[in-house]
Every structure is written in structure tokens, then in C-alpha cells.
Amino acid sequence: MEIIFYHPTFDPACWLPALRKALPGANVREWRKGDDEPADYALVWHPPVEMLRGRELKGVFALGAGVDSILSKLKAHPEMLAQHIPLFRLEDTGMGLQMQEYAVSQVLHWFRRFDDYQALKQQARWLELEEYRREDFTIGILGAGVLGAKVAASLSAWGFPLRCWSRSHKDLPGVTSFAGTEELGEFLHGTRVLINLLPDTPATKGLIDLNVINQLADNSYIMNLARGVHVVENDLLQALDSGKLRGAMLDVFSREPLPADHPLWAHPRVAMTPHVAAATRADEAIAFIAATIGKLERGEIVNGRVDRVRGY
């Protein structure tokens, strides 16, 4: 079995030996420009077109939860990967726990009004603020896939009203499910914290605009953990300046790195991290890939295959 590996930032010296150990008998090599030798599987992130073009692979694994970088390249270069070749995403592989840590810590930060107290501290003002009530702090999660379900489960222990919105209805314990465009307004009405975990698809680009934001509860919050293309940043800034939104926590942006002159940097109600909400963990990712390849070789049913039409 021949496996080729390419990632612009991951260290092959770490990944390749671990992959060889997890896949005994497989020849795992780092792909380099000019390598057109046969391969059965490709493990990639932002792959060059020439790496995959013309190869008759058994499967391609995206080394992350999203596959938008591959799908967007396929639009411009459909010859890069034949339609019948299966494309797989990493469904969790440690990212779920990281998303849980991020979401819970920030929700509690807002709920306990630590952002407001920090603003008072900057003014040297000693003032006790009115507490928020849990029943008024409804949390809505956009996207109820593997990661969305994990985040919902972690927040349920804190007693907040929870709801989710996705393409189809979900059965998540303690979570009210909404689905489809016809139920989006009902989902948004009364939501105080909006957490975005949607996949990047044509239908979700620019979804979080002023129209959507204005349907949230007053003094609401937005947390974006998915992709920058989901949020119309100028609309977000307008809603923050008007007071409709009380705060935003952003891990992803329309341009990355975010330009130094972008107004998000200076806004006092915006907190930011540089796309670190959930990183691919090598051990968990390799275990998933090895198990999936084993099942494929045995002709068994596997999880994580991407529907190229839906985009996830």
C-alpha cells in the first residue's frame, strides 16, 4: 500500500513515522513536487493540484475538520480529483474537546459579565453589575454535526437553554432542534449567544449578516468557530456599534492573517484568537485515518466521507 502525505505546516518528521507505525506494511512518503509515482491514498491539506491530478486513488483524507480548501480548488480545477474518488474529513480526532473548552470558557465569561468588569477596570470604576439569569441566556448553535453536538453536550451541564439549527432536525439531549431556512427565524428569536459551527458551503457563505443579527435577542453575543466567510464583518461591526450586539468572540476571519488595519483589531467589544479553536491532533488523527483505511481495505462501511454536493 502506497500513501502520500502533504501539509504546508505539519512536520513530516513527526507524522510519517507515526503513520508507518499505525499502518504496518504501508509505504508512507512525503509528496514533493515532481512525485508522480503510484499511490493508493493521499493525506493532504491545501494540496497542490499536481499532487492529486490524474491519480486513481482509493481515498483522500483532508487533515482537518473542513474540506473547503479542497472543494474550492476543485471548482477551479475539476480534473484534480475524479468524482468517484472518496474524500474524507476528520470528524473529531480531538477537535471536539478543544471546541468544548473554547465555547464553555467564553460563554461563562460573558454570562458572568467578565468582559463588562474588565471594561470597568480600565476606567478604575468599582461597580457591582446586575447578574444575568440563565433562563434569559439562551444559546443557539448553528451547525449540529459532530462538533456542534459536542459543544451542545458540554454546555448542557451548565443549565442554559440550548437550541441548534442545521440542514435537518437533530435529536440531541436537552437541545431544541430547528432545521431549514423556514425555521431559521424561530431559531434566532430569543437567542442570546449565537455559536457558529457551520460547514463552509455555498448556502452558508455570508449567512450571519445584519438581517440574521437583528433577529437575535437584544444585547446578544456571537462566537464564530467555523469559517470567516460565514460572517459579514461590516455588518457585525455595525451591530456592535449600534448596541444590538454586546460582544463577539472570533477565531476565524474573511482574510487570514487579519490585516493589521482591519477595524476588528481595535473594537473594544471584539475578542479574537488566530484560528486556534481546535487544531488537528496527530495521535487522534492518525488513529482515525489508520482505522478508516483498514475498513476501506476490508470493504466495510466507514464514517467521514464528504458529500461533494453538500460540501461536507
Side-chain angles (χ1 to χ4, degrees):
M1 183 191 306
E2 296 288 331
I3 299 174
I4 48 178
F5 172 94
Y6 175 85
H7 195 291
T9 60
F10 284 175
D11 183 2
C14 168
W15 280 75
L16 267 60
L19 284 163
R20 292 174 184 133
K21 183 177 180 180
L23 292 159
N27 180 34
V28 186
R29 69 182 188 272
E30 180 186 6
W31 181 86
R32 298 177 184 273
K33 191 174 180 63
D35 178 355
D36 58 359
E37 293 298 312
D40 298 296
Y41 296 95
L43 318 181
V44 300
W45 191 250
H46 292 282
V49 173
E50 61 267 32
M51 177 185 181
L52 302 179
R53 182 170 51 204
R55 292 188 183 274
E56 192 58 36
L57 298 161
K58 296 180 182 179
V60 174
F61 290 82
L63 295 173
V67 292
D68 40 290
S69 67
I70 296 176
L71 295 180
S72 62
K73 193 166 286 189
L74 277 172
K75 287 182 181 178
H77 303 278
E79 77 282 3
M80 184 176 79
L81 192 66
Q83 188 66 36
H84 68 275
I85 296 176
L87 174 62
F88 298 93
R89 68 182 188 277
L90 303 184
E91 287 198 312
D92 186 345
T93 61
M95 287 179 277
L97 177 59
Q98 295 172 74
M99 287 291 191
Q100 288 177 323
E101 294 166 347
Y102 196 114
V104 170
S105 63
Q106 186 59 38
V107 166
L108 294 178
H109 183 90
W110 284 328
F111 179 67
R112 292 299 306 272
R113 305 195 65 172
F114 292 149
D115 54 336
D116 294 322
Y117 281 118
Q118 180 64 17
L120 290 171
K121 182 257 184 185
Q122 299 299 327
Q123 305 169 38
R125 293 179 62 196
W126 184 282
L127 177 65
E128 184 176 349
L129 300 172
E130 182 181 356
E131 293 183 353
Y132 290 149
R133 301 189 308 167
R134 271 180 172 74
E135 56 266 32
D136 299 329
F137 216 72
T138 298
I139 299 169
I141 301 171
L142 286 168
V146 173
L147 297 180
K150 291 263 189 179
V151 168
S154 66
L155 288 166
S156 64
W158 296 94
F160 298 109
L162 292 173
R163 56 180 63 166
C164 68
W165 180 82
S166 53
R167 188 176 61 89
S168 58
H169 286 104
K170 305 295 182 183
D171 184 16
L172 302 177
V175 181
T176 304
S177 176
F178 298 86
T181 54
E182 65 278 3
E183 294 184 5
L184 179 58
E186 187 180 359
F187 162 82
L188 294 168
H189 181 71
T191 291
R192 188 70 182 279
V193 177
L194 185 68
I195 301 176
N196 179 40
L197 284 163
L198 288 169
D200 179 5
T201 71
T204 63
K205 281 181 170 62
L207 179 69
I208 305 174
D209 59 7
L210 204 55
N211 176 58
V212 160
I213 293 170
N214 282 337
Q215 295 179 69
L216 297 170
D218 290 339
N219 294 307
S220 53
Y221 302 88
I222 286 180
M223 189 187 313
N224 189 12
L225 306 180
R227 289 291 184 266
V229 296
H230 293 137
V231 174
V232 180
E233 290 168 352
N234 286 337
D235 287 6
L236 178 76
L237 287 163
Q238 184 178 332
L240 286 162
D241 290 339
S242 72
K244 175 64 181 183
L245 285 181
R246 191 158 188 85
M249 182 75 213
L250 308 175
D251 184 57
V252 288
F253 306 88
S254 59
R255 289 177 60 193
E256 295 181 5
L258 191 67
D261 60 351
H262 199 289
L264 285 171
W265 285 110
H267 203 287
R269 286 288 174 178
V270 175
M272 295 162 36
T273 49
H275 205 145
V276 297
T280 300
R281 301 294 194 213
D283 290 348
E284 291 92 336
I286 289 168
F288 172 84
I289 291 167
T292 303
I293 287 177
K295 290 177 181 178
L296 289 170
E297 291 292 303
R298 295 189 296 271
E300 300 174 7
I301 296 174
V302 299
N303 296 323
R305 181 166 181 171
V306 173
D307 183 322
R308 296 200 203 177
V309 175
R310 290 199 326 232
Y312 58 95

